Every structure is written in structure tokens, then in C-alpha cells.
Amino acid sequence: RSPSRGLGDVYKRQVVLTPQITSIYNYTHNCGANVMGFGINGNRLYIPCTTPKIIDISTIGAFSELSDGSAVVPRPDGIDFAISGNYGFSSEDGKLRVYDVSSDTFSFVTEIPYSVSTFRNLNEMIIDGNYLYTSDYNEVKVYSFDISNPLSPVLVSNFTSPQIDWPEQIRLINGYLVFNHFNNNNKVFIDISNPTNLSQAGFLTSAGGGWGSAMTITDNNLFTCDSG
């Protein structure tokens, strides 16, 4: 009989069965408004808000602010910020704005306003190759933009279906977009094999009802929580 060995076995099992979540670093920023989304590219964190920030996150425990974009006109103060190479895309209420961030600053390049396109309230974005995907909870549509030339993004496809209602969160898995919804608990899968002709591949409804609140995908499994 070996008490020390027995205690060690118990301790190891306890660690495996009851993992602890530990905050390793807390960074406080002053953005002047609630942050709804942000972009990460390498060791840079991009925060769109009233006073947008670019943060160096190369050293955990010692983040440093590289740029304060409060003087930028117009500011990237939208819902989300996505990065492709040297350019950042900000989803505003009725605009898709483009910024050059190559010098660790926000330098406004161009925008596609609602009057030119068919969207009013853009939400979360995701970039895959030369295409940017997002949704509009007001128009109740999913959009595809060709960003092969970041200086001149082009809206190439939009799609809607009876299952799409106030789309918000967006995830990408195996060539399909998955959208969560604020107004229902549908998870809609969009086929992007042809980005210029988006189509619905299927949908599922979370058990228990309620509004879709959050979701994540790992190892081909979708995890979601609903408010109801």
C-alpha cells in the first residue's frame, strides 16, 4: 500500500475531471463604447469603436497600444473588423469600409454605402481567400464580397431563405458558412463553393427553443447555447 501514490492518482484524476479556467492577463482599453467585435492578424489586435485601437499582443502580459484612431475620418466604429493582408474591413450600419493598416494605423481607403448596394445593417464578418462574407439583420440576407482588390470591393452575391431571420454570428467549416440568429434558434448552412452564387445547404434547429445566443465549432462539432 502506498498512500502517496494513491493521493497522487486521486489528484491527477481531479485535475482531469475538474479543469480550472484561469485568466492569465487582463488588458483594459478606453474605446469610448462597447466593443462588439474585433480582428486579429498575427500579433496585432484591431478594435473598432468610437476611439479605435491597434494593440500589440505579441507578449502576453504586456500588451501595448500602437495606434489610437480617434482622429481617423471616418472612424472604424462598426460591429466587426476583419483583416486580409494589409487591409482591414469594418462592418458599419449601412456601409462596408476599408482601411489600410499596414503601418499600424487606420488609414481610410474606401467604402461601399447602402445607396450603392443592397445592405443596411452588416454584422459579423469572415474572410476566406478573396471573399468576405457577412450578413444583414435588417435586409435578412447573407452577402459575399469579392475583395481580391481591397481598394475596390465588389458585392457579388446575396442570399436569403425562410430560415434566415436576423442573422448574427458567422462561422466557417469545411466550405460552409454557419449562421446563428437573434430572432430564432436556427443554424443555417450556406454553401460557398461558388462565392458568386450563394445557396443554402441545410439548417438545423437547436433543441429547447429560444433565440440563438452563441456558437463555436471545433473538430467538426458545433456547440451552441440559446437564450430559451
Side-chain angles (χ1 to χ4, degrees):
R1 183 178 180 180
S2 173
S4 59
R5 180 178 179 182
L7 291 174
D9 288 345
V10 171
Y11 175 74
K12 284 185 287 186
R13 292 192 188 102
Q14 183 180 11
V15 170
V16 172
L17 295 177
T18 57
Q20 301 297 310
I21 300 175
T22 303
S23 175
I24 58 176
Y25 180 58
N26 179 45
Y27 177 81
T28 302
H29 62 82
N30 179 21
C31 265
N34 294 330
V35 175
M36 301 186 69
F38 56 84
I40 293 180
N41 186 30
N43 55 15
R44 297 293 188 264
L45 170 68
Y46 303 85
I47 306 175
C49 55
T50 306
T51 54
K53 309 287 186 182
I54 299 179
I55 309 295
D56 184 342
I57 58 173
S58 57
T59 303
I60 300 299
F63 289 179
S64 61
E65 182 178 312
L66 299 176
S67 177
D68 180 333
S70 57
V72 176
V73 179
R75 290 191 302 265
D77 57 356
I79 289 178
D80 199 10
F81 200 81
I83 306 294
S84 178
N86 292 326
Y87 296 91
F89 298 82
S90 179
S91 56
E92 312 292 324
D93 280 347
K95 306 175 184 69
L96 178 68
R97 288 176 175 161
V98 184
Y99 294 84
D100 185 334
V101 295
S102 58
S103 301
D104 286 332
T105 58
F106 294 100
S107 178
F108 176 69
V109 175
T110 189
E111 69 180 25
I112 303 177
Y114 171 64
S115 59
V116 174
S117 208
T118 60
F119 51 83
R120 283 191 286 175
N121 296 94
L122 298 181
N123 280 312
E124 283 192 9
M125 301 177 291
I126 195 165
I127 293 174
D128 184 45
N130 288 327
Y131 292 91
L132 180 149
Y133 302 95
T134 185
S135 65
D136 186 322
Y137 64 80
N138 203 310
E139 294 290 335
V140 195
K141 292 180 179 179
V142 176
Y143 298 99
S144 171
F145 291 87
D146 184 340
I147 59 169
S148 55
N149 178 6
L151 304 181
S152 183
V154 178
L155 176 63
V156 293
S157 182
N158 67 81
F159 177 82
T160 190
S161 81
Q163 288 76 40
I164 298 176
D165 184 15
W166 203 316
E168 284 196 316
Q169 286 192 319
I170 178 175
R171 300 292 183 265
L172 178 64
I173 179 171
N174 298 333
Y176 295 92
L177 296 177
V178 186
F179 283 89
N180 211 0
H181 296 76
F182 180 76
N183 270 0
N184 63 40
N185 55 341
N186 289 334
K187 311 297 179 282
V188 177
F189 293 76
I190 304 296
D191 185 345
I192 59 171
S193 57
N194 181 0
T196 64
N197 185 25
L198 301 177
S199 61
Q200 182 167 309
F203 74 97
L204 61 86
T205 301
S206 303
W211 295 345
S213 297
M215 67 174 178
T216 188
I217 295 174
T218 182
D219 296 331
N220 291 326
N221 295 305
L222 185 149
F223 296 87
T224 182
C225 63
D226 300 321
S227 61

